[in-house]
Each structure stands twice: as structure tokens, then as C-alpha cells.
């Protein structure tokens, strides 16, 4: 029986199960409000999965995949798909935990990594938008929220509220930048007028002295 299991089970399946268990332990810590501990467990699970992914890639590059039997290949593809799902879950779990600990740059990083692997993930877009709003990056925040509305096709009060706030903040920032620019232009014009007046006064003094 052991030989049959080894033949039909994907290589590294035990390690993937271990990684999944570690992630679930992270979920328990998250529910308990122990976000730092949850982050460590998510990071450990992610590291295990990424190491397995790298090993799989190396094996494929060495041509080992061609030597596998059809049943083993099907099992391996199933393993790869499940591993990718676990990696995505870890990345999104990390983003959620970092949002709780107010590490907004890390929220951006993990959410973006998740979206690189699978575009248009609603939770990843929303968490990244929340982090962008905290960092006052209103343009990017609006972009993510509009994309979220497009892909979800469901009206969400929280999303609409945050988008309205982000658009108002963006408009206020633009107005402030325009006002500041106008003040700087006025200051430059005033300075130029003062320089011209001073030069004219100096020229007049020279002519008066010459007389």
C-alpha cells in the first residue's frame, strides 16, 4: 500500500500538508487577535510553499517531468494547483494581519504579490485600497476601488464610502496644490517686481550722483 501511495501521490505532498497546517495555526492566532504570531506562522507557511515551488521548477528544468507516468503527472498538476491556492491564501492572510498591525507598506507588498499571481482578487484590491488611503495615496486608492467595483459587480457600502472619501481627499489635494502653485507664482512675480524696482532705483541714484 505504501508503494501505491508513493506512486500516485505527488512528491512533496506531505510538506504541503504541513504548510497548510501551519497556515491554519496562523488563522487561529489571527482569530485570537494575536496578529504578530499569526504573521510569523503565515510567513513560515509561505516560505515552505515557495521552497517547494522552486524545487518543482528545478525538477521540470532538469527534464524529470517527462519521465513521470501519466497518473503521477495528473497528481502533480493537482498538487501544483493546490500549492498555488495556498500561496495566495498566505499572501492574503499576511496582508490582513499587517492591516491589523498598521504596517501599511507591507499590506501593499503582500496584496500586490497576490494580485500578480491572480489579478482582480477582490479582497486583495480592497485591502490594498485601505492601505493606500492610510498612506494618503489617493490616486492609487481610487484606481483600486474603481477596479474593485468593476470586477465585483456588486454594490458595497464600505467600498462606496471609501471611494467617496478618497475622491474628496484627492480633489482637496489638487486644490491645495493649485493654490500653493498660484501663491508661489505670485511670490515670484512680486520678487521680480522688487528686483526691477531696486535696479531702477540704483540706476537713478547713479545718474543723480553723476550730476
Amino acid at each position: 500500500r505504501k508503494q501505491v501511495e508513493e506512486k500516485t501521490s505527488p512528491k512533496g505532498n506531505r510538506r504541503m500538508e504541513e504548510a497548510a497546517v501551519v497556515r491554519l495555526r496562523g488563522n487561529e492566532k489571527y482569530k485570537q487577535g494575536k496578529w504578530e504570531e499569526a504573521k510569523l506562522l503565515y510567513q513560515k507557511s509561505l516560505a515552505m510553499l515557495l521552497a517547494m515551488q522552486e524545487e518543482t521548477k528545478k525538477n521540470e528544468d532538469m527534464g524529470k517531468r517527462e519521465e513521470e507516468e501519466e497518473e503521477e503527472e495528473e497528481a502533480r498538476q493537482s498538487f501544483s494547483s493546490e500549492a498555488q491556492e495556498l500561496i495566495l491564501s498566505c499572501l492574503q492572510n499576511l496582508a490582513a494581519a499587517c492591516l491589523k498591525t498598521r504596517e501599511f507598506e507591507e499590506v501593499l507588498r503582500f496584496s500586490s504579490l497576490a494580485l500578480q499571481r491572480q489579478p482582480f482578487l477582490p479582497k486583495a484590491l480592497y485591502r490594498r485600497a485601505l492601505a493606500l488611503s492610510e498612506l494618503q495615496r489617493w490616486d492609487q486608492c481610487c484606481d483600486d476601488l474603481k477596479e474593485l467595483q468593476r470586477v465585483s459587480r456588486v454594490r458595497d457600502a464600505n467600498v462606496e464610502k471609501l471611494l467617496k472619501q478618497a475622491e474628496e481627499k484627492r480633489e482637496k489635494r489638487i486644490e491645495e496644490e493649485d493654490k500653493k502653485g498660484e501663491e508661489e507664482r505670485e511670490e515670484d512675480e512680486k520678487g521680480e517686481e522688487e528686483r526691477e524696482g531696486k535696479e531702477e532705483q540704483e540706476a537713478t541714484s547713479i545718474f543723480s550722483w553723476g550730476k
Side-chain angles (χ1 to χ4, degrees), residues 162-178:
L162 184 58
L163 179 57
K164 182 181 179 181
Q165 177 190 353
E167 288 177 334
E168 289 174 352
K169 294 287 187 179
R170 180 172 63 179
E171 288 301 316
K172 183 178 180 181
R173 187 207 66 206
I174 292 172
E175 289 175 3
E176 290 174 349
E177 289 176 351
D178 289 344

Side-chain angles (χ1 to χ4, degrees), residues 67-171:
E67 300 174 2
E68 293 176 344
E69 298 179 2
E70 186 175 348
E71 290 182 359
E72 284 185 304
E73 177 61 20
E74 290 177 358
R76 185 171 180 170
Q77 288 176 350
S78 175
F79 157 71
S80 178
S81 175
E82 188 175 351
Q84 293 297 335
E85 289 298 318
L86 280 171
I87 289 172
L88 273 176
S89 295
C90 285
L91 289 170
Q92 295 200 84
N93 292 151
L94 278 165
C98 289
L99 200 57
K100 291 291 188 181
T101 56
R102 301 186 65 79
E103 297 172 273
F104 301 119
E105 292 289 353
E106 289 294 273
V107 177
L108 296 186
R109 184 165 74 92
F110 291 122
S111 296
S112 296
L113 286 171
L115 288 164
Q116 286 174 15
R117 288 177 173 270
Q118 186 174 318
F120 316 126
L121 286 167
K123 287 184 179 180
L125 283 168
Y126 184 60
R127 290 188 183 112
R128 190 166 71 177
L130 287 171
L132 288 165
S133 70
E134 293 289 346
L135 296 168
Q136 299 184 12
R137 300 181 191 175
W138 305 118
D139 292 335
Q140 294 167 283
C141 179
C142 288
D143 289 343
D144 272 358
L145 290 170
K146 288 177 181 178
E147 184 66 13
L148 176 58
Q149 287 182 325
R150 187 185 71 81
V151 300
S152 64
R153 298 180 182 180
V154 177
R155 292 177 66 89
D156 184 281
N158 290 328
V159 173
E160 290 182 353
K161 181 179 179 181
L162 184 58
L163 179 57
K164 182 181 179 181
Q165 177 190 353
E167 288 177 334
E168 289 174 352
K169 294 287 187 179
R170 180 172 63 179
E171 288 301 316

Side-chain angles (χ1 to χ4, degrees), residues 17-61:
E17 290 176 354
E18 290 174 355
V21 169
V22 171
R23 189 184 76 84
L24 291 175
R25 286 169 54 203
N27 287 349
E28 290 300 318
K29 294 296 183 182
Y30 184 91
K31 291 174 184 177
Q32 295 169 11
K34 299 177 181 179
W35 300 307
E36 291 293 346
E37 293 181 40
K39 277 166 42 184
L40 290 175
L41 290 166
Y42 293 144
Q43 287 169 342
K44 181 179 178 180
S45 179
L46 180 62
M48 294 168 69
L49 291 162
L50 291 176
M52 292 162 60
Q53 183 184 57
E54 185 62 25
E55 288 177 11
T56 302
K57 184 176 181 300
K58 287 180 180 179
N59 289 339
E60 289 174 359
D61 292 341

Side-chain angles (χ1 to χ4, degrees), residues 1-9:
R1 183 178 177 180
K2 183 177 180 182
Q3 290 179 345
V4 173
E5 288 178 350
E6 287 178 349
K7 182 178 179 180
T8 59
S9 299

